[in-house]
Amino acid sequence: MFGPEGPTLRELAVQALSSVERGYDLLAPKFDHTPYRTPDRILDAVASALEPMGPFGTGLDLCCGTGAGVDVLGRVCRERVTGVDFSAGMLAVARRRPVPEGPAVSWVRADARALPFGPAFDLVVSFGAFGHFLPRELPGLFAQVRSVLRPGGCFAFPVGAPPRPGSRAYWTLLGFDTAMRVRNALWRPPFVMYYRTFRIGDVGRELARTGFRVDLHGLPALGRRPDGSPRARLVVARRLP
């Protein structure tokens, strides 16, 4: 699962018994060598899907981690891009990333549930972070995103098709979420990281209630399931006036 540059089993255990913020501070130096880092093929597929919708002026990578998603924004934004995360350790790694030619890049430490921006962005993206929010937190999270978007701005993120019941992926995700619930019932502080709570139907309805118009775009570069449906889609939620 992890290469030689990735974290050891002991390091993962220490992270898992920490808070979310502290856990990511500890994992940050080796995060890019774990499966938790969004693969380049997903980042490339999202950038390719966003390019025809732009160009955008300013962009925000929500829960940016070590900054891989900022490269997507650099391809579709002309003016400036910002990465925001609440882990100081992850941001420290992000600041050391090589910055390609393009818009200016800045990094801000903040909680996604209390963003320190006004309506300054034309595009907000996020990759792999929603499992860290409980379902009851999504209305507030989406309201925060809406508050930092200019009218007509877009909130975009990829979602994978749910695994079929009984498949290996289904049981893997169910087992992981069950283990996390047991861990959080027995240990404090909690470590919120669930893979099965972010359901696209519920998410679409909540985005609509928050003031977004939601469209789904297939990501054909990521393949199709046996029934012909895409393995992943890009959610594009446009802020309504």
Side-chain angles (χ1 to χ4, degrees):
M1 184 175 182
F2 301 98
E5 296 180 283
T8 65
L9 184 60
R10 181 183 181 279
E11 288 171 330
L12 286 174
V14 172
Q15 181 214 6
L17 295 176
S18 305
S19 66
V20 178
E21 181 179 351
R22 176 59 177 160
Y24 276 104
D25 285 346
L26 294 171
L27 185 60
K30 299 183 178 181
F31 179 80
D32 287 342
H33 302 287
T34 73
Y36 307 130
R37 193 264 199 190
T38 303
D40 287 338
R41 63 189 185 90
I42 295 178
L43 299 172
D44 289 341
V46 170
S48 296
L50 288 173
E51 282 172 342
M53 305 177 198
F56 301 91
T58 55
L60 176 70
D61 184 5
L62 187 74
C63 306
C64 66
T66 56
V70 167
D71 294 341
V72 174
L73 292 175
R75 289 173 54 177
V76 300
C77 296
R78 294 176 300 184
E79 299 172 14
R80 60 181 174 84
V81 300
T82 301
V84 62
D85 202 279
F86 76 160
S87 166
M90 298 291 269
L91 288 173
V93 175
R95 290 188 177 100
R96 294 196 294 269
R97 289 175 59 84
V99 179
E101 291 187 12
V105 177
S106 61
W107 308 98
V108 175
R109 186 183 180 194
D111 193 318
R113 293 161 292 199
L115 293 172
F117 311 109
F121 299 98
D122 303 299
L123 174 65
V124 175
V125 298
S126 193
F127 297 92
F130 296 118
H132 294 303
F133 300 93
L134 297 171
R136 65 174 180 270
E137 296 179 295
L138 293 182
L141 176 67
F142 294 160
Q144 283 292 300
V145 173
R146 188 180 187 279
S147 73
V148 303
L149 280 170
R150 294 172 176 143
C154 290
F155 177 30
F157 51 89
V159 292
R164 285 175 292 181
S167 66
R168 181 177 179 179
Y170 175 88
W171 290 114
T172 298
L173 296 183
L174 178 61
F176 183 92
D177 281 13
T178 300
M180 290 302 299
R181 292 185 185 280
V182 171
R183 179 259 186 235
N184 289 334
L186 300 175
W187 192 268
R188 292 291 183 272
F191 192 96
V192 177
M193 184 170 149
Y194 300 116
Y195 285 104
R196 301 175 69 248
T197 58
F198 195 75
R199 299 182 175 90
I200 189 57
D202 298 336
V203 168
R205 285 188 290 272
E206 196 56 59
L207 284 166
R209 279 195 289 266
T210 308
F212 289 95
R213 187 188 74 237
V214 181
D215 296 303
L216 298 177
H217 300 260
L219 295 173
L222 300 180
R224 294 187 177 275
R225 302 207 293 179
D227 63 3
S229 62
R231 292 189 181 277
R233 290 182 169 89
L234 182 68
V235 177
V236 179
R238 190 172 294 276
R239 178 188 167 175
L240 299 173

